[in-house]
Amino acid sequence: MSNQIKSVLLPGSFFNIESKRKIQYLNQKEINTLYLFDHTLNPLNKKDDMYEIKKSVFELENYKDRLFNIGTLILNINKRNSEKLFYDYLDPFLEIKNFKLGLGTGDNKFEEMKVNYQNEIDEVIKKLLKSNTFSIDGNNLFLGGNSKSKLNLIRKYSLGINQWEISKMNLEIKSEIYKKIKNPIGNLSQCIQIGENNYFKNFDLNIELIYILKDSSLDQFYNQIQNILDDKIEYD
């Protein structure tokens, strides 16, 4: 029997309207983790607003009686210089209990980066592992991406794996890699658009399903969450 964890990725305009009511609602539901983008532009609609990741992480962290975990999907290590990356982002984030730190190397489609600092992801990971404790039940560390170099790092450091696009072949490859990791320090996870074809319904795999919420009205937001919890996402 597979174990499927349900988490959500918050849309760019999440904090603009009724954010306290939304957070309160999520805190009352069986949602494991609230993930945040690290984009300059709203990835679903470039005309919509986009939150700033650091400010948003700590707004969630400061919610009283918080039951949900917080995570990044994906923090771009090349968006800031190394000192700023660690001092202003990585180190403070990892002081948060059970923080799920997803790392990546950036996507020019959404970043609008005039400067790419080209930090070495291998060095960033080694530095994190040297000064922090990660485990599947505590702070998590995982990577996004399909490149051979990323998959090799996942094997080397027993990292968790995130997949953004829906690809059964890529997920099966990552699943086989993940199964061979003795003590992974992050989950195998897949991002899903609500209403997207979902082959996980009968997929015998321990996985974290991260549902990508849409910018919406408050009532529509409630409906999105309830549909996820009721398993009323559209399947073929």
Side-chain angles (χ1 to χ4, degrees), residues 23-80:
I23 296 169
Q24 180 183 27
Y25 186 77
L26 289 167
N27 198 51
Q28 296 169 344
K29 303 298 179 179
E30 292 184 7
I31 299 292
N32 184 276
T33 302
L34 309 189
Y35 286 99
L36 294 157
F37 286 111
D38 184 26
H39 288 320
T40 304
L41 298 175
N42 189 309
L44 300 182
N45 187 340
K46 293 181 181 180
K47 295 180 180 179
D48 288 343
D49 291 336
M50 189 66 225
Y51 50 69
E52 195 283 318
I53 192 168
K54 182 179 177 182
K55 178 182 177 182
S56 302
V57 162
F58 288 106
E59 183 168 341
L60 294 175
E61 197 267 337
N62 290 330
Y63 181 78
K64 186 179 179 180
D65 300 323
R66 176 173 62 89
L67 299 176
F68 53 80
N69 297 321
I70 304 168
T72 59
L73 194 75
I74 297 289
L75 187 72
N76 180 2
I77 66 162
N78 291 323
K79 197 172 181 179
R80 300 118 186 146

Short mmCIF file of all heavy atoms in Angstrom, two decimals, residues 23-80:
data_model
loop_
_atom_site.label_atom_id
_atom_site.label_comp_id
_atom_site.label_asym_id
_atom_site.label_seq_id
_atom_site.Cartn_x
_atom_site.Cartn_y
_atom_site.Cartn_z
N ILE A 23 -4.54 30.94 5.53
CA ILE A 23 -3.57 30.20 6.34
C ILE A 23 -4.29 29.45 7.46
O ILE A 23 -3.99 28.29 7.75
CB ILE A 23 -2.50 31.15 6.92
CG1 ILE A 23 -1.67 31.76 5.78
CG2 ILE A 23 -1.58 30.41 7.89
CD1 ILE A 23 -0.77 32.90 6.20
N GLN A 24 -5.25 30.11 8.09
CA GLN A 24 -6.03 29.47 9.15
C GLN A 24 -6.75 28.24 8.61
O GLN A 24 -6.77 27.17 9.26
CB GLN A 24 -7.05 30.45 9.73
CG GLN A 24 -7.89 29.85 10.86
CD GLN A 24 -8.94 30.83 11.36
OE1 GLN A 24 -9.39 31.71 10.63
NE2 GLN A 24 -9.32 30.70 12.62
N TYR A 25 -7.33 28.35 7.44
CA TYR A 25 -8.04 27.24 6.81
C TYR A 25 -7.10 26.07 6.54
O TYR A 25 -7.40 24.91 6.85
CB TYR A 25 -8.69 27.72 5.52
CG TYR A 25 -9.57 26.71 4.83
CD1 TYR A 25 -10.85 26.43 5.30
CD2 TYR A 25 -9.13 26.04 3.69
CE1 TYR A 25 -11.66 25.51 4.67
CE2 TYR A 25 -9.93 25.12 3.04
CZ TYR A 25 -11.20 24.85 3.54
OH TYR A 25 -12.00 23.93 2.90
N LEU A 26 -5.93 26.37 5.97
CA LEU A 26 -4.94 25.34 5.68
C LEU A 26 -4.44 24.66 6.95
O LEU A 26 -4.20 23.46 6.97
CB LEU A 26 -3.77 25.94 4.91
CG LEU A 26 -4.05 26.34 3.46
CD1 LEU A 26 -2.93 27.21 2.92
CD2 LEU A 26 -4.24 25.11 2.58
N ASN A 27 -4.31 25.44 8.01
CA ASN A 27 -3.81 24.91 9.28
C ASN A 27 -4.79 23.91 9.89
O ASN A 27 -4.39 23.05 10.68
CB ASN A 27 -3.56 26.06 10.26
CG ASN A 27 -2.65 25.66 11.40
OD1 ASN A 27 -1.57 25.11 11.19
ND2 ASN A 27 -3.08 25.93 12.63
N GLN A 28 -6.05 24.00 9.51
CA GLN A 28 -7.07 23.11 10.05
C GLN A 28 -7.24 21.84 9.21
O GLN A 28 -7.96 20.93 9.61
CB GLN A 28 -8.42 23.85 10.11
CG GLN A 28 -8.44 25.03 11.06
CD GLN A 28 -9.69 25.88 10.89
OE1 GLN A 28 -10.41 25.78 9.89
NE2 GLN A 28 -9.94 26.75 11.86
N LYS A 29 -6.57 21.79 8.07
CA LYS A 29 -6.73 20.67 7.14
C LYS A 29 -5.51 19.75 7.17
O LYS A 29 -4.46 20.11 7.68
CB LYS A 29 -6.96 21.21 5.73
CG LYS A 29 -8.16 22.14 5.60
CD LYS A 29 -9.46 21.45 5.94
CE LYS A 29 -10.65 22.37 5.83
NZ LYS A 29 -11.93 21.70 6.15
N GLU A 30 -5.67 18.59 6.59
CA GLU A 30 -4.58 17.61 6.55
C GLU A 30 -3.68 17.88 5.34
O GLU A 30 -3.55 17.06 4.43
CB GLU A 30 -5.14 16.20 6.53
CG GLU A 30 -5.83 15.81 7.83
CD GLU A 30 -6.31 14.37 7.84
OE1 GLU A 30 -5.99 13.63 6.88
OE2 GLU A 30 -7.00 13.98 8.79
N ILE A 31 -3.07 19.05 5.37
CA ILE A 31 -2.09 19.44 4.36
C ILE A 31 -0.72 19.41 5.03
O ILE A 31 -0.49 20.11 6.02
CB ILE A 31 -2.39 20.85 3.81
CG1 ILE A 31 -3.76 20.88 3.13
CG2 ILE A 31 -1.29 21.31 2.86
CD1 ILE A 31 -3.86 20.08 1.85
N ASN A 32 0.19 18.62 4.48
CA ASN A 32 1.47 18.42 5.15
C ASN A 32 2.36 19.66 5.11
O ASN A 32 2.89 20.09 6.14
CB ASN A 32 2.21 17.24 4.50
CG ASN A 32 3.51 16.91 5.19
OD1 ASN A 32 4.54 17.51 4.92
ND2 ASN A 32 3.47 15.94 6.11
N THR A 33 2.55 20.23 3.92
CA THR A 33 3.52 21.32 3.76
C THR A 33 2.97 22.40 2.84
O THR A 33 2.34 22.10 1.82
CB THR A 33 4.85 20.78 3.18
OG1 THR A 33 5.36 19.77 4.05
CG2 THR A 33 5.88 21.88 3.05
N LEU A 34 3.24 23.66 3.18
CA LEU A 34 2.95 24.79 2.30
C LEU A 34 4.27 25.20 1.66
O LEU A 34 5.20 25.64 2.35
CB LEU A 34 2.36 25.97 3.08
CG LEU A 34 1.16 25.69 4.00
CD1 LEU A 34 0.58 27.01 4.51
CD2 LEU A 34 0.10 24.86 3.31
N TYR A 35 4.35 25.04 0.35
CA TYR A 35 5.57 25.39 -0.38
C TYR A 35 5.44 26.76 -1.02
O TYR A 35 4.34 27.19 -1.39
CB TYR A 35 5.84 24.35 -1.47
CG TYR A 35 6.37 23.04 -0.96
CD1 TYR A 35 5.52 21.95 -0.78
CD2 TYR A 35 7.72 22.88 -0.66
CE1 TYR A 35 6.00 20.73 -0.31
CE2 TYR A 35 8.20 21.66 -0.18
CZ TYR A 35 7.35 20.60 -0.02
OH TYR A 35 7.81 19.39 0.45
N LEU A 36 6.59 27.40 -1.23
CA LEU A 36 6.65 28.72 -1.83
C LEU A 36 7.57 28.72 -3.04
O LEU A 36 8.64 28.11 -3.02
CB LEU A 36 7.14 29.76 -0.82
CG LEU A 36 6.19 30.00 0.36
CD1 LEU A 36 6.95 30.56 1.54
CD2 LEU A 36 5.07 30.94 -0.05
N PHE A 37 7.14 29.45 -4.09
CA PHE A 37 8.00 29.69 -5.25
C PHE A 37 9.14 30.63 -4.88
O PHE A 37 9.04 31.42 -3.94
CB PHE A 37 7.19 30.39 -6.35
CG PHE A 37 6.20 29.54 -7.10
CD1 PHE A 37 4.84 29.75 -6.94
CD2 PHE A 37 6.62 28.58 -8.01
CE1 PHE A 37 3.91 29.01 -7.66
CE2 PHE A 37 5.71 27.84 -8.73
CZ PHE A 37 4.35 28.05 -8.55
N ASP A 38 10.20 30.59 -5.68
CA ASP A 38 11.26 31.60 -5.61
C ASP A 38 11.40 32.24 -6.98
O ASP A 38 12.45 32.17 -7.62
CB ASP A 38 12.58 30.96 -5.16
CG ASP A 38 13.70 31.99 -4.98
OD1 ASP A 38 13.39 33.16 -4.71
OD2 ASP A 38 14.88 31.60 -5.09
N HIS A 39 10.31 32.85 -7.45
CA HIS A 39 10.29 33.45 -8.79
C HIS A 39 10.09 34.95 -8.71
O HIS A 39 9.48 35.48 -7.77
CB HIS A 39 9.15 32.86 -9.63
CG HIS A 39 9.38 31.45 -10.05
ND1 HIS A 39 10.59 30.98 -10.47
CD2 HIS A 39 8.52 30.39 -10.13
CE1 HIS A 39 10.49 29.70 -10.79
NE2 HIS A 39 9.24 29.31 -10.58
N THR A 40 10.60 35.64 -9.73
CA THR A 40 10.37 37.08 -9.88
C THR A 40 9.00 37.32 -10.50
O THR A 40 8.27 38.22 -10.12
CB THR A 40 11.47 37.71 -10.75
OG1 THR A 40 12.73 37.42 -10.18
CG2 THR A 40 11.29 39.22 -10.83
N LEU A 41 8.65 36.48 -11.50
CA LEU A 41 7.37 36.59 -12.18
C LEU A 41 6.45 35.47 -11.72
O LEU A 41 6.90 34.38 -11.39
CB LEU A 41 7.56 36.49 -13.69
CG LEU A 41 8.41 37.57 -14.36
CD1 LEU A 41 8.58 37.26 -15.83
CD2 LEU A 41 7.76 38.94 -14.18
N ASN A 42 5.16 35.74 -11.71
CA ASN A 42 4.18 34.72 -11.39
C ASN A 42 4.24 33.63 -12.46
O ASN A 42 4.04 33.91 -13.64
CB ASN A 42 2.78 35.34 -11.34
CG ASN A 42 1.74 34.40 -10.79
OD1 ASN A 42 1.61 33.27 -11.24
ND2 ASN A 42 0.97 34.86 -9.83
N PRO A 43 4.55 32.39 -12.08
CA PRO A 43 4.76 31.34 -13.08
C PRO A 43 3.49 30.89 -13.79
O PRO A 43 3.56 30.25 -14.83
CB PRO A 43 5.36 30.19 -12.27
CG PRO A 43 4.92 30.44 -10.89
CD PRO A 43 4.82 31.93 -10.72
N LEU A 44 2.32 31.20 -13.23
CA LEU A 44 1.07 30.79 -13.87
C LEU A 44 0.49 31.89 -14.74
O LEU A 44 -0.19 31.62 -15.72
CB LEU A 44 0.06 30.37 -12.79
CG LEU A 44 0.50 29.21 -11.90
CD1 LEU A 44 -0.61 28.85 -10.91
CD2 LEU A 44 0.89 27.99 -12.73
N ASN A 45 0.75 33.14 -14.38
CA ASN A 45 0.28 34.28 -15.16
C ASN A 45 1.21 35.46 -14.89
O ASN A 45 1.21 36.01 -13.79
CB ASN A 45 -1.16 34.65 -14.80
CG ASN A 45 -1.73 35.72 -15.73
OD1 ASN A 45 -1.00 36.45 -16.39
ND2 ASN A 45 -3.05 35.80 -15.77
N LYS A 46 2.01 35.83 -15.86
CA LYS A 46 3.03 36.87 -15.67
C LYS A 46 2.44 38.22 -15.29
O LYS A 46 3.14 39.09 -14.76
CB LYS A 46 3.88 37.01 -16.93
CG LYS A 46 4.73 35.78 -17.23
CD LYS A 46 5.56 35.98 -18.49
CE LYS A 46 6.39 34.74 -18.79
NZ LYS A 46 7.21 34.90 -20.01
N LYS A 47 1.15 38.43 -15.54
CA LYS A 47 0.51 39.70 -15.21
C LYS A 47 0.09 39.77 -13.74
O LYS A 47 -0.20 40.84 -13.22
CB LYS A 47 -0.70 39.93 -16.12
CG LYS A 47 -0.35 40.09 -17.59
CD LYS A 47 -1.60 40.32 -18.42
CE LYS A 47 -1.23 40.48 -19.90
NZ LYS A 47 -2.44 40.69 -20.75
N ASP A 48 0.04 38.62 -13.08
CA ASP A 48 -0.40 38.57 -11.68
C ASP A 48 0.76 38.88 -10.74
O ASP A 48 1.93 38.83 -11.11
CB ASP A 48 -0.97 37.18 -11.34
CG ASP A 48 -2.33 36.96 -11.98
OD1 ASP A 48 -2.96 37.94 -12.39
OD2 ASP A 48 -2.75 35.79 -12.06
N ASP A 49 0.41 39.20 -9.50
CA ASP A 49 1.42 39.52 -8.50
C ASP A 49 2.24 38.29 -8.12
O ASP A 49 1.84 37.16 -8.34
CB ASP A 49 0.75 40.09 -7.24
CG ASP A 49 0.15 41.46 -7.48
OD1 ASP A 49 0.62 42.16 -8.40
OD2 ASP A 49 -0.80 41.83 -6.76
N MET A 50 3.39 38.55 -7.50
CA MET A 50 4.27 37.47 -7.05
C MET A 50 4.86 37.86 -5.71
O MET A 50 5.44 38.93 -5.55
CB MET A 50 5.39 37.26 -8.08
CG MET A 50 6.21 36.01 -7.81
SD MET A 50 5.26 34.50 -8.01
CE MET A 50 5.74 33.57 -6.58
N TYR A 51 4.69 37.00 -4.71
CA TYR A 51 5.23 37.27 -3.38
C TYR A 51 6.75 37.16 -3.36
O TYR A 51 7.36 36.54 -4.25
CB TYR A 51 4.62 36.34 -2.33
CG TYR A 51 4.64 34.87 -2.68
CD1 TYR A 51 5.82 34.14 -2.73
CD2 TYR A 51 3.45 34.20 -2.97
CE1 TYR A 51 5.83 32.79 -3.04
CE2 TYR A 51 3.46 32.84 -3.29
CZ TYR A 51 4.65 32.15 -3.33
OH TYR A 51 4.67 30.81 -3.65
N GLU A 52 7.37 37.72 -2.32
CA GLU A 52 8.82 37.57 -2.10
C GLU A 52 9.00 36.43 -1.12
O GLU A 52 8.39 36.40 -0.06
CB GLU A 52 9.40 38.87 -1.56
CG GLU A 52 10.92 38.96 -1.65
CD GLU A 52 11.63 38.14 -0.58
OE1 GLU A 52 11.17 38.18 0.59
OE2 GLU A 52 12.63 37.47 -0.90
N ILE A 53 9.87 35.50 -1.45
CA ILE A 53 9.93 34.23 -0.72
C ILE A 53 10.32 34.39 0.75
O ILE A 53 9.72 33.76 1.62
CB ILE A 53 10.87 33.23 -1.44
CG1 ILE A 53 10.70 31.83 -0.84
CG2 ILE A 53 12.31 33.70 -1.43
CD1 ILE A 53 11.36 30.74 -1.65
N LYS A 54 11.31 35.21 1.06
CA LYS A 54 11.77 35.32 2.45
C LYS A 54 10.68 35.89 3.35
O LYS A 54 10.37 35.34 4.41
CB LYS A 54 13.02 36.19 2.52
CG LYS A 54 13.59 36.31 3.93
CD LYS A 54 14.84 37.17 3.94
CE LYS A 54 15.36 37.35 5.35
NZ LYS A 54 16.55 38.24 5.38
N LYS A 55 10.08 36.98 2.93
CA LYS A 55 9.01 37.60 3.71
C LYS A 55 7.85 36.62 3.91
O LYS A 55 7.28 36.52 5.01
CB LYS A 55 8.51 38.86 2.99
CG LYS A 55 7.37 39.55 3.69
CD LYS A 55 6.90 40.76 2.89
CE LYS A 55 5.68 41.42 3.54
NZ LYS A 55 5.20 42.58 2.73
N SER A 56 7.53 35.87 2.87
CA SER A 56 6.40 34.95 2.93
C SER A 56 6.67 33.75 3.82
O SER A 56 5.79 33.29 4.54
CB SER A 56 6.06 34.49 1.50
OG SER A 56 5.76 35.60 0.68
N VAL A 57 7.90 33.22 3.78
CA VAL A 57 8.27 32.11 4.65
C VAL A 57 8.04 32.48 6.10
O VAL A 57 7.45 31.72 6.89
CB VAL A 57 9.74 31.69 4.43
CG1 VAL A 57 10.25 30.85 5.61
CG2 VAL A 57 9.87 30.88 3.14
N PHE A 58 8.47 33.68 6.50
CA PHE A 58 8.37 34.05 7.90
C PHE A 58 6.96 34.49 8.30
O PHE A 58 6.59 34.40 9.47
CB PHE A 58 9.43 35.10 8.24
CG PHE A 58 10.80 34.50 8.29
CD1 PHE A 58 11.71 34.73 7.27
CD2 PHE A 58 11.15 33.63 9.30
CE1 PHE A 58 12.96 34.14 7.29
CE2 PHE A 58 12.40 33.02 9.33
CZ PHE A 58 13.30 33.28 8.32
N GLU A 59 6.16 34.92 7.33
CA GLU A 59 4.75 35.16 7.63
C GLU A 59 4.06 33.84 7.98
O GLU A 59 3.26 33.77 8.91
CB GLU A 59 4.04 35.83 6.46
CG GLU A 59 2.59 36.18 6.76
CD GLU A 59 1.95 37.08 5.73
OE1 GLU A 59 2.68 37.74 4.97
OE2 GLU A 59 0.71 37.14 5.69
N LEU A 60 4.39 32.79 7.25
CA LEU A 60 3.83 31.48 7.56
C LEU A 60 4.38 30.94 8.87
O LEU A 60 3.64 30.38 9.69
CB LEU A 60 4.16 30.49 6.43
CG LEU A 60 3.53 30.75 5.06
CD1 LEU A 60 4.06 29.75 4.04
CD2 LEU A 60 2.01 30.70 5.13
N GLU A 61 5.68 31.12 9.09
CA GLU A 61 6.32 30.59 10.28
C GLU A 61 5.78 31.24 11.55
O GLU A 61 5.71 30.60 12.61
CB GLU A 61 7.84 30.81 10.19
CG GLU A 61 8.65 29.96 11.13
CD GLU A 61 8.94 30.64 12.45
OE1 GLU A 61 8.92 31.87 12.50
OE2 GLU A 61 9.20 29.93 13.44
N ASN A 62 5.37 32.49 11.45
CA ASN A 62 4.88 33.22 12.62
C ASN A 62 3.40 32.96 12.92
O ASN A 62 2.87 33.53 13.88
CB ASN A 62 5.10 34.72 12.43
CG ASN A 62 6.57 35.10 12.51
OD1 ASN A 62 7.35 34.44 13.21
ND2 ASN A 62 6.98 36.12 11.78
N TYR A 63 2.76 32.13 12.12
CA TYR A 63 1.35 31.83 12.39
C TYR A 63 1.22 31.06 13.70
O TYR A 63 1.88 30.04 13.90
CB TYR A 63 0.73 31.02 11.23
CG TYR A 63 -0.73 30.73 11.47
CD1 TYR A 63 -1.69 31.71 11.25
CD2 TYR A 63 -1.14 29.49 11.95
CE1 TYR A 63 -3.03 31.46 11.48
CE2 TYR A 63 -2.49 29.23 12.18
CZ TYR A 63 -3.42 30.22 11.96
OH TYR A 63 -4.74 29.97 12.20
N LYS A 64 0.40 31.55 14.58
CA LYS A 64 0.25 30.95 15.91
C LYS A 64 -0.35 29.55 15.81
O LYS A 64 -1.27 29.31 15.03
CB LYS A 64 -0.64 31.84 16.78
CG LYS A 64 -0.74 31.39 18.23
CD LYS A 64 -1.62 32.35 19.04
CE LYS A 64 -1.73 31.89 20.48
NZ LYS A 64 -2.58 32.80 21.28
N ASP A 65 0.19 28.62 16.61
CA ASP A 65 -0.30 27.23 16.65
C ASP A 65 -0.20 26.55 15.29
O ASP A 65 -1.06 25.75 14.89
CB ASP A 65 -1.75 27.17 17.15
CG ASP A 65 -1.89 27.75 18.55
OD1 ASP A 65 -0.98 27.55 19.37
OD2 ASP A 65 -2.91 28.41 18.82
N ARG A 66 0.87 26.83 14.58
CA ARG A 66 1.08 26.27 13.24
C ARG A 66 1.23 24.75 13.30
O ARG A 66 2.02 24.21 14.05
CB ARG A 66 2.33 26.89 12.62
CG ARG A 66 2.70 26.32 11.26
CD ARG A 66 3.85 27.11 10.64
NE ARG A 66 5.07 27.05 11.44
CZ ARG A 66 6.00 26.12 11.31
NH1 ARG A 66 5.83 25.13 10.43
NH2 ARG A 66 7.09 26.16 12.04
N LEU A 67 0.45 24.06 12.46
CA LEU A 67 0.52 22.60 12.36
C LEU A 67 1.17 22.14 11.05
O LEU A 67 1.63 21.02 10.96
CB LEU A 67 -0.89 22.01 12.46
CG LEU A 67 -1.63 22.28 13.78
CD1 LEU A 67 -3.05 21.73 13.70
CD2 LEU A 67 -0.88 21.67 14.96
N PHE A 68 1.20 22.99 10.04
CA PHE A 68 1.75 22.64 8.74
C PHE A 68 3.26 22.90 8.70
O PHE A 68 3.79 23.71 9.46
CB PHE A 68 1.07 23.43 7.62
CG PHE A 68 1.07 24.93 7.85
CD1 PHE A 68 2.20 25.71 7.56
CD2 PHE A 68 -0.06 25.57 8.34
CE1 PHE A 68 2.20 27.08 7.78
CE2 PHE A 68 -0.07 26.94 8.56
CZ PHE A 68 1.06 27.69 8.27
N ASN A 69 3.94 22.18 7.81
CA ASN A 69 5.34 22.45 7.54
C ASN A 69 5.46 23.53 6.47
O ASN A 69 4.50 23.83 5.76
CB ASN A 69 6.06 21.18 7.09
CG ASN A 69 6.05 20.10 8.15
OD1 ASN A 69 6.20 20.38 9.34
ND2 ASN A 69 5.88 18.85 7.74
N ILE A 70 6.66 24.07 6.32
CA ILE A 70 6.94 25.11 5.32
C ILE A 70 8.11 24.65 4.47
O ILE A 70 9.04 24.01 4.95
CB ILE A 70 7.28 26.45 6.00
CG1 ILE A 70 6.16 26.87 6.96
CG2 ILE A 70 7.52 27.56 4.95
CD1 ILE A 70 6.54 28.03 7.87
N GLY A 71 8.06 24.98 3.17
CA GLY A 71 9.16 24.59 2.31
C GLY A 71 9.33 25.51 1.12
O GLY A 71 8.49 26.37 0.83
N THR A 72 10.45 25.35 0.41
CA THR A 72 10.73 26.12 -0.80
C THR A 72 10.72 25.18 -2.00
O THR A 72 11.24 24.08 -1.95
CB THR A 72 12.11 26.80 -0.73
OG1 THR A 72 13.14 25.82 -0.56
CG2 THR A 72 12.16 27.78 0.42
N LEU A 73 10.12 25.66 -3.08
CA LEU A 73 10.03 24.85 -4.30
C LEU A 73 10.15 25.78 -5.52
O LEU A 73 9.13 26.23 -6.03
CB LEU A 73 8.67 24.13 -4.33
CG LEU A 73 8.54 23.02 -5.34
CD1 LEU A 73 9.30 21.80 -4.89
CD2 LEU A 73 7.09 22.68 -5.60
N ILE A 74 11.26 26.05 -5.96
CA ILE A 74 12.59 25.62 -5.55
C ILE A 74 13.38 26.91 -5.27
O ILE A 74 13.25 27.87 -6.01
CB ILE A 74 13.29 24.83 -6.68
CG1 ILE A 74 12.57 23.54 -7.02
CG2 ILE A 74 14.75 24.59 -6.35
CD1 ILE A 74 12.67 22.43 -5.97
N LEU A 75 14.25 26.92 -4.25
CA LEU A 75 15.08 28.08 -3.98
C LEU A 75 16.24 28.09 -4.97
O LEU A 75 17.01 27.14 -5.05
CB LEU A 75 15.61 28.05 -2.55
CG LEU A 75 16.37 29.31 -2.12
CD1 LEU A 75 15.39 30.46 -1.91
CD2 LEU A 75 17.16 29.07 -0.86
N ASN A 76 16.36 29.18 -5.73
CA ASN A 76 17.38 29.29 -6.77
C ASN A 76 18.71 29.71 -6.15
O ASN A 76 18.86 30.84 -5.70
CB ASN A 76 16.91 30.30 -7.81
CG ASN A 76 17.90 30.49 -8.93
OD1 ASN A 76 18.95 29.85 -8.98
ND2 ASN A 76 17.57 31.40 -9.84
N ILE A 77 19.69 28.82 -6.16
CA ILE A 77 20.97 29.12 -5.51
C ILE A 77 21.79 30.15 -6.29
O ILE A 77 22.76 30.70 -5.77
CB ILE A 77 21.82 27.85 -5.31
CG1 ILE A 77 22.26 27.26 -6.66
CG2 ILE A 77 21.07 26.81 -4.48
CD1 ILE A 77 23.43 26.31 -6.54
N ASN A 78 21.41 30.43 -7.55
CA ASN A 78 22.18 31.36 -8.37
C ASN A 78 21.58 32.77 -8.43
O ASN A 78 22.06 33.63 -9.15
CB ASN A 78 22.32 30.81 -9.79
CG ASN A 78 23.22 29.60 -9.83
OD1 ASN A 78 24.22 29.53 -9.11
ND2 ASN A 78 22.87 28.62 -10.65
N LYS A 79 20.54 32.99 -7.65
CA LYS A 79 19.86 34.28 -7.66
C LYS A 79 20.55 35.29 -6.74
O LYS A 79 20.35 36.49 -6.88
CB LYS A 79 18.41 34.06 -7.21
CG LYS A 79 17.46 35.18 -7.54
CD LYS A 79 16.04 34.74 -7.22
CE LYS A 79 15.03 35.80 -7.56
NZ LYS A 79 13.65 35.36 -7.27
N ARG A 80 21.35 34.78 -5.78
CA ARG A 80 22.05 35.64 -4.81
C ARG A 80 23.50 35.19 -4.71
O ARG A 80 23.81 34.04 -4.99
CB ARG A 80 21.40 35.54 -3.42
CG ARG A 80 19.94 35.97 -3.41
CD ARG A 80 19.03 34.84 -3.01
NE ARG A 80 17.62 35.22 -3.13
CZ ARG A 80 16.67 34.38 -3.48
NH1 ARG A 80 16.93 33.12 -3.74
NH2 ARG A 80 15.42 34.80 -3.59
#
